[in-house]
Amino acid sequence: MSRNISIPGAIDAAAAMPSSALEADGITKSFRDRKTEVKVLDGLSLTVQPGQFASIIGPSGSGKSTLFHIIGGLLKPDAGAIRMNGSDVTGQKGRIAYMPQQPALFPWRTALDNVLLPRELSGMPKEQARDEARILMERAGLSGFENAYPDTLSGGMQQRTAFLRTLMSPQEVMCLDEPFSALDALTRTDMQHWLLDMWEADRRSVLMITHHIEEALLLSDVVYVMSNRPAAILQKIEVPFARPRSEALLHQPAFLALKQEISDRMRNELRKS
């Protein structure tokens, strides 16, 4: 029997939401030591609309993770503001759900207990949290592994568990920091399609960092291309391909042409460094 659950932050497509779910407006950030100042971000601006999947791609070391730290309130910008639904949240922690590059699961907690942790912290009754976590794990193909510990799970299963933990957070915006970078190519492909299916079912607002152009185009509604440091947005690309998407999209001429366009833009940027 099909079961539906309500995920906090999921978007009702019929609801009117005039404000961006997330807006980075003119973000500038420098780091200083005794002798030098290094500007990492230079007036960077981007938006994520409610229910939108956005990705950032750019050269290594261009400041993508620094931007995430500013969005998450771990760092304050030298200039600019972070807004959510029109409200200034610059420097405020706990406003996003965050998934790091590594699963970062607690080894002493079972897979189920890792998934339901955000609901525990939000004060939800334990049994209700467990019921919702079990439903998500079943949907993610993790049924039967609820009581397994992280060190007994494959890399892909650990990433699924980490994503479900992020999905269980009550925050509307999810920030994914290269979530599949540590996986082998085949597992990464499987995880991309799994994430696409999970996201299309719930439509949380997502901002993802990736170095993988194909991944960005397959998953995203909009792709932001960042410059070298000090980073700004070079290009905003509205991804034109209809949803739902499948692996067949990767071989279509229009997809390959857009992938090549972005690749050429990034190569030109790297030549400047």
Side-chain angles (χ1 to χ4, degrees), residues 28-248:
T28 297
K29 181 64 179 177
S30 297
F31 293 98
R32 303 169 179 83
D33 60 24
R34 293 179 181 177
K35 297 182 179 179
T36 60
E37 176 178 293
V38 177
K39 182 176 281 189
V40 178
L41 302 174
D42 187 15
L44 184 147
S45 296
L46 59 78
T47 59
V48 181
Q49 300 302 326
Q52 189 177 60
F53 197 122
S55 290
I56 303 172
I57 57 176
S60 295
S62 59
K64 297 183 292 297
S65 292
T66 298
L67 176 62
F68 264 23
H69 292 158
I70 291 172
I71 292 171
L74 301 177
L75 292 173
K76 287 189 176 181
D78 302 329
I82 301 297
R83 301 186 186 93
M84 292 187 180
N85 296 315
S87 298
D88 191 330
V89 297
T90 309
Q92 296 182 21
K93 300 181 180 68
R95 301 302 296 260
I96 62 167
Y98 176 71
M99 181 177 172
Q101 295 180 25
Q102 301 296 330
L105 301 173
F106 292 111
W108 59 88
R109 294 179 70 105
T110 65
L112 176 63
D113 288 338
N114 270 284
V115 170
L116 61 83
L117 180 61
R119 296 296 181 88
E120 287 183 9
L121 295 177
S122 68
M124 175 178 283
K126 192 171 184 178
E127 287 308 309
Q128 182 181 349
R130 283 186 176 275
D131 288 345
E132 295 194 5
R134 287 181 185 278
I135 292 171
L136 280 178
M137 292 187 74
E138 181 179 351
R139 191 197 300 176
L142 292 171
S143 183
F145 293 91
E146 292 87 350
N147 296 319
Y149 288 90
D151 63 354
T152 68
L153 301 176
S154 69
M157 293 170 74
Q158 289 181 23
Q159 288 297 97
R160 291 186 187 197
T161 302
F163 180 77
L164 294 183
R165 181 179 59 188
T166 307
L167 195 62
M168 288 281 279
S169 298
Q171 290 82 3
E172 176 189 338
V173 176
M174 294 194 297
C175 290
L176 312 180
D177 189 354
E178 296 190 73
F180 308 137
S181 61
L183 301 177
D184 63 81
L186 287 176
T187 304
R188 181 177 191 138
T189 299
D190 288 343
M191 287 298 299
Q192 288 168 357
H193 291 285
W194 173 82
L195 174 58
L196 198 57
D197 289 342
M198 291 292 292
W199 175 79
E200 287 181 343
D202 294 299
R203 292 292 177 128
R204 191 85 63 96
S205 302
V206 173
L207 182 61
M208 181 180 73
I209 290 173
T210 179
H211 285 96
H212 202 277
I213 298 172
E214 189 175 275
E215 179 173 85
L217 292 177
L218 176 66
L219 297 176
S220 306
D221 299 303
V222 61
V223 176
Y224 290 98
V225 182
M226 283 178 66
S227 69
N228 272 318
R229 193 170 63 192
I233 298 300
L234 284 176
Q235 187 176 11
K236 176 184 177 181
I237 298 167
E238 300 282 352
V239 180
F241 310 115
R243 298 184 185 276
R245 297 175 187 164
S246 68
E247 194 167 356

Side-chain angles (χ1 to χ4, degrees), residues 250-270:
L250 306 182
H251 308 290
Q252 293 183 9
F255 184 94
L256 295 172
L258 186 53
K259 178 182 174 182
Q260 187 64 49
E261 176 189 331
I262 297 172
S263 179
D264 291 344
R265 187 69 184 263
M266 292 182 66
R267 281 198 190 93
N268 290 336
E269 191 64 19
L270 286 171

